Amino acid sequence: MNLQLSHFSSAVLFGLFASVVFGITQRSTSREQIRYGLYCFAMFVGGVFVAGWAMWLLRR
Amino acid sequence: MANPSTSKEVAATQPVTAMSVIAPAIGWLIPGAGHLIQKRWVRGLLLMGSIVIMFLIGLAMQGRVYRPNGGDILDILGFVGDVGAGGLYIVTRAMDLGQGAVAHATADYGTKYIIVAGLLNFISAADAYHIAIGKKP
């Protein structure tokens, strides 16, 4: 099997799985875990966009 | 300023139970199982799903699984990350998968997926230990 994902979908999937684990392991209550997981996911996806625009600016 | 003896006193008061040894060990071997044997069903299944799927996607992207005797320091670090996946790593090595494909641009992503899945499983096993000693609900 050969899975070919784009850069963006690879980064989003990576952020999704890592956020689930971070949320569960780094906070105690269910509410805090969900909030922290969503925060991590937003940071991952936000970081992808920031890095993307930074590389676009560097390329110009 | 913190009392330097405080952490030692806290560690001394926490009893070493069978669960505090078994939970992280089985959690390392089977991702999420350390939580499942402590009846944290939802957390365990979410951890298991995330780590196993991440590892399998890494393999499907033709990622490379590092060997213990890589020689290069980066290969050794890669091996430390990979071995965190426990049983997944053992099965993968036994089936001789994870050879890596330099021809694919996404294969490098796959390698990183596999390493990070192992590292996340280390965190998961540590969390199972914290639950076992009562440090976390």
Side-chain angles (χ1 to χ4, degrees):
Chain A
M1 185 178 172
N2 184 13
L3 183 67
Q4 298 265 10
L5 295 175
S6 68
H7 293 262
F8 181 72
S9 52
S10 297
V12 170
L13 270 180
F14 183 97
L16 175 69
F17 296 130
S19 299
V20 170
V21 177
F22 285 167
I24 291 171
T25 57
Q26 304 301 311
R27 292 294 183 271
S28 295
T29 65
S30 299
R31 187 182 170 83
E32 286 175 341
Q33 288 172 350
I34 293 168
R35 284 173 63 95
Y36 189 66
L38 289 172
Y39 170 77
C40 287
F41 185 66
M43 287 293 116
F44 271 118
V45 176
V48 168
F49 279 102
V50 170
W53 278 108
M55 285 186 280
W56 181 79
L57 288 170
L58 287 171
R59 190 167 173 264
R60 283 172 65 103
Chain B
M1 189 174 160
N3 184 356
S5 65
T6 306
S7 60
K8 288 180 183 173
E9 287 171 4
V10 169
T13 56
Q14 290 167 346
V16 178
T17 60
M19 187 58 82
S20 68
V21 177
I22 293 170
I26 200 147
W28 168 75
L29 198 62
I30 305 166
H35 289 73
L36 292 176
I37 61 167
Q38 297 181 86
K39 297 186 172 60
R40 266 64 172 188
W41 307 113
V42 178
R43 290 188 216 176
L45 288 173
L46 281 171
L47 288 171
M48 181 181 280
S50 297
I51 294 166
V52 171
I53 291 171
M54 196 169 188
F55 192 92
L56 294 178
I57 288 177
L59 280 181
M61 291 167 83
Q62 308 292 309
R64 177 184 171 199
V65 174
Y66 288 94
R67 269 66 177 163
N69 53 353
D72 184 19
I73 185 72
L74 290 177
D75 286 0
I76 295 168
L77 289 173
F79 167 72
V80 170
D82 283 0
V83 85
L88 291 170
Y89 178 78
I90 295 165
V91 170
T92 304
R93 286 296 312 280
M95 294 174 71
D96 206 26
L97 297 171
Q99 298 294 330
V102 182
H104 297 295
T106 54
D108 199 40
Y109 283 129
T111 304
K112 270 56 181 181
Y113 263 61
I114 293 168
I115 293 173
V116 173
L119 295 174
L120 291 174
N121 196 37
F122 276 134
I123 300 174
S124 171
D127 191 57
Y129 171 74
H130 286 144
I131 294 170
I133 64 172
K135 192 176 175 183
K136 187 177 176 184

